[in-house]
Amino acid sequence: MTAAALRASFRAAATGVLAVGAGLAAGQLVAAVRDPATAPILAVGSTVIDHTPTALKDWAIRQFGTHDKLVLLSSIAVAVLALAVTSGLIATRSLTAGIAAQATMLAVAGYAVLTRPFATVTDLAPTAAAGAVSILVLLALHRIDRPPSDRRSPQQEARAGVGRRDFVLASGVSATMTAAGFVGADRLAARRSAIDVRLPEAADPAPPLPRGIDRLVPGVTPLRTPNGTFYRVDTELTVPAVDASDWSLRIDGDVENPYSLSYSELLGRPLVERNITITCVSNEIGGGYAGGATWRGVLTRDLLAAARVKDPGRPDLQVLSTSTDGFTISTPLEALTDDRDAILAVGMNGAPLPRSHGFPARLVTPGLYGMLGCTKWVTRLTVTTYAARKAYWTQRGWTTTGEIKPTARIDVPRSFASVQRGRVLIGGTAWAQRRGVVRVQVSVDNGPWEDASMGPDVNIDYWRQWYFVWADAAAGQHSVRARVVYGHDQLQTSKRAGVFPNGSSGVEERFFVVR
Ligand SMILES: Nc1nc2c(c(=O)[nH]1)N[C@H]1C(S)=C(S)[C@@H](COP(=O)(O)O)O[C@H]1N2
Ligand SMILES: [Mo]
């Protein structure tokens, strides 16, 4: 390839990328006005997530943890980039074919948008804007790059250098507007998502959390997880921006009295507060997918009592909860009506729920993994049977009954940390929801199990901090294991299990070095 041909290909590729980039920025901007989740890239990403086999999803979560979505979006971005380059190169051969290539990408995005749960035709607006802008930019840059041959007079050929400058200028303008579009869309979405509500105080408040031992033992997880650092697990690519004034909760299914509740009606009900530690079924032994908070809301027991469940003694009854995006969770009816005080929460640690944790309302069910009782952005509670309806993760083979497995977690020393010889502080948290943590036992270098010192006992559904002083640590590599004793002197199982299908088990072992 000659240098000139190479430069021409480069300009063609750049044309494709600039056009698609400008289109995506336009899509982002239009989506930000209505609903950020309808942006074409996000719709495609969400569709890919929903069609990913469980095994692959599992692998991705294991490999990338909470970065799994970033990895997914980056992969899609790389694919789009490749397609954009291709469309630019095709356009130099045949402009019509180049436009057709972009239109095909558009059609795929449009299909993804329309097949999202609850999608409406107006959700196509961002994709349509993206398509219009990308094709217009493609046409404009293509024209500047290679003026139509009938206009290519000898003088114009001579002024090819000027044409090249025009192309660079036009590219710069396009790239700048694209960047401005992305930034603007981001600002717009952020402004839209500020939460401006004041929650009424709870008529039945939770006891204030005692002081934890995390001041005493640096590195131990605080007793209360701040909202900003609380783990987040969901299938969403962008946090749903639900408007409290548009939101309502529908309670229906096998009930005598189906009804709906607006946000202000919900806040008008007597609110309770409970301290509850929730945990994700995808938490590996020693993992961070657990958090403790004070949840404020309405008891689901009361909400369901007002709906009057038909024949509530029947076996197999579940409540299928649905969130704004169509995601569903199955919770045994019993867990939402017994005295464990499951909550339809509106508040978290004294503040309205953050959007990432389910604003305006979510379920919090003590004792069950998040995917069984913690539906965020919940809009519907349908009383039905497990035979009749299957929830999102049920369809993918996960448990419908799994209770949270009791476990002790080591927070310090960190894995492969190097610590001073002498007195080594070992510490962590332990949870055994519905049973209660009795104590934690520690074994150093596979020695005998010894009781750790325990932090305050908040309640059976809350985690408990612990620490152990290893008084005479000698230089070298060491290991520590920790296990929880819960309920009535039951011992945490040492049997190893992966997270699928009903949560990990096994005793954590950690290695560290004493200097
Ligand atoms: N709408 C919706 N709710 C959801 C999920 C989800 O994917 N979508 N994930 C569940 C899972 S798997 C867990 S562990 C908890 C996590 O709640 P958090 O993100 O507030 O910590 O939310 C649950 N609620
Ligand atoms: Mo989860």
Side-chain angles (χ1 to χ4, degrees):
M1 215 190 253
T2 67
L6 206 63
R7 274 200 298 273
S9 306
F10 177 78
R11 286 199 304 277
T15 298
V17 171
L18 286 165
V20 170
L24 290 179
Q28 213 69 20
L29 208 52
V30 173
V33 177
R34 272 188 65 245
D35 175 3
T38 56
I41 278 242
L42 289 172
V44 170
S46 302
T47 304
V48 172
I49 289 188
D50 287 353
H51 290 87
T52 305
T54 300
L56 182 58
K57 211 176 308 199
D58 229 38
W59 174 86
I61 291 173
R62 259 201 319 278
Q63 292 300 306
F64 310 118
T66 36
H67 299 303
D68 58 335
K69 284 169 193 146
L70 192 66
V71 172
L72 171 72
L73 282 180
S74 314
S75 321
I76 292 176
V78 169
V80 168
L81 193 70
L83 289 170
V85 166
T86 313
S87 73
L89 291 174
I90 292 177
T92 55
R93 300 278 150 72
S94 152
L95 189 54
T96 323
I99 291 173
Q102 296 210 344
T104 309
M105 290 168 73
L106 215 72
V108 170
Y111 173 78
V113 168
L114 279 183
T115 50
R116 296 274 73 219
F118 306 132
T120 58
V121 183
T122 49
D123 290 347
L124 280 177
T127 306
V133 169
S134 82
I135 290 174
L136 279 176
V137 171
L138 179 75
L139 283 173
L141 287 177
H142 186 267
R143 198 182 173 93
I144 293 171
D145 188 26
R146 345 166 85 209
S149 48
D150 58 330
R151 271 180 45 210
R152 243 190 231 185
S153 62
Q155 294 101 303
Q156 270 175 327
E157 289 292 356
R159 283 171 47 215
V162 176
R164 208 147 301 142
R165 246 170 283 144
D166 285 351
F167 181 77
V168 170
L169 189 70
S171 303
V173 170
S174 173
T176 308
M177 287 182 63
T178 298
F182 276 116
V183 172
D186 212 51
R187 295 257 167 92
L188 211 63
R191 172 125 32 102
R192 266 187 48 119
S193 72
I195 290 177
D196 179 29
V197 295
R198 274 186 66 89
L199 293 183
E201 291 300 317
D204 175 3
L209 283 185
R211 250 169 184 260
I213 60 162
D214 39 300
R215 293 156 203 266
L216 224 70
V217 190
V220 166
T221 306
L223 204 50
R224 179 195 301 287
T225 313
N227 292 358
T229 53
F230 206 97
Y231 83 95
R232 176 187 160 205
V233 171
D234 52 62
T235 56
E236 298 289 337
L237 271 178
T238 43
V239 175
V242 184
D243 199 337
S245 56
D246 291 346
W247 178 90
S248 67
L249 176 76
R250 177 90 189 142
I251 301 183
D252 61 5
D254 297 350
V255 297
E256 311 274 358
N257 175 41
Y259 67 99
S260 299
L261 208 60
S262 72
Y263 188 60
S264 55
E265 284 166 339
L266 181 60
L267 297 191
R269 289 184 160 245
L271 300 183
V272 305
E273 251 180 357
R274 297 290 182 265
N275 296 313
I276 301 166
T277 291
I278 67 171
T279 311
C280 183
V281 71
S282 295
N283 192 51
E284 306 273 356
I285 289 298
Y289 289 165
T294 305
W295 306 93
R296 190 185 304 177
V298 174
L299 293 174
T300 55
R301 183 169 66 232
D302 295 345
L303 292 170
L304 288 162
R308 294 198 305 275
V309 175
K310 286 183 191 160
D311 200 358
R314 278 179 292 159
D316 199 42
L317 278 177
Q318 62 148 323
V319 173
L320 187 85
S321 48
T322 309
S323 80
T324 45
D325 64 321
F327 174 87
T328 48
I329 280 181
S330 283
T331 311
L333 175 68
E334 172 149 21
L336 296 182
T337 49
D338 66 15
D339 63 3
R340 78 183 68 195
D341 287 359
I343 297 176
L344 175 71
V346 291
M348 180 178 183
N349 291 326
L353 281 178
R355 291 200 182 274
S356 53
H357 295 291
F359 181 84
R362 70 167 306 161
L363 293 178
V364 178
T365 308
L368 297 180
Y369 285 118
M371 63 135 194
L372 293 172
C374 287
T375 320
K376 302 191 278 187
W377 315 287
V378 63
T379 56
R380 192 167 177 191
L381 303 178
T382 304
V383 178
T384 179
T385 60
Y386 284 97
R389 301 287 300 276
K390 302 254 179 294
Y392 186 95
W393 290 115
T394 313
Q395 292 162 16
R396 290 157 177 83
W398 291 77
T399 179
T400 53
T401 55
E403 284 153 13
I404 300 175
K405 295 180 181 173
T407 191
R409 184 177 77 189
I410 303 168
D411 294 337
V412 280
R414 305 245 161 245
S415 256
F416 300 105
S418 142
V419 299
Q420 295 278 15
R421 70 166 54 183
R423 233 174 73 103
V424 173
L425 272 182
I426 299 164
T429 44
W431 55 85
Q433 289 91 331
R434 297 280 77 213
R435 322 287 188 88
V437 171
V438 177
R439 74 187 95 88
V440 166
Q441 299 181 320
V442 171
S443 153
V444 176
D445 294 335
N446 292 310
W449 290 98
E450 294 180 74
D451 287 350
S453 304
M454 300 306 295
D457 186 3
V458 174
N459 65 47
I460 58 167
D461 293 318
Y462 211 73
W463 58 12
R464 202 159 164 191
Q465 300 166 314
W466 59 268
Y467 72 97
F468 179 83
V469 183
W470 185 28
D472 43 18
Q477 189 188 296
H478 298 282
S479 73
V480 58
R481 289 177 299 158
R483 65 183 187 189
V484 65
V485 179
Y486 62 95
H488 297 288
D489 265 5
Q490 274 171 280
L491 207 54
Q492 172 184 340
T493 179
S494 57
K495 200 171 148 221
R496 292 229 143 230
V499 298
F500 185 82
N502 62 352
S504 64
S505 71
V507 171
E508 183 180 7
E509 176 163 34
R510 186 162 276 202
F511 299 90
F512 60 98
V513 175
V514 173
R515 295 192 292 272

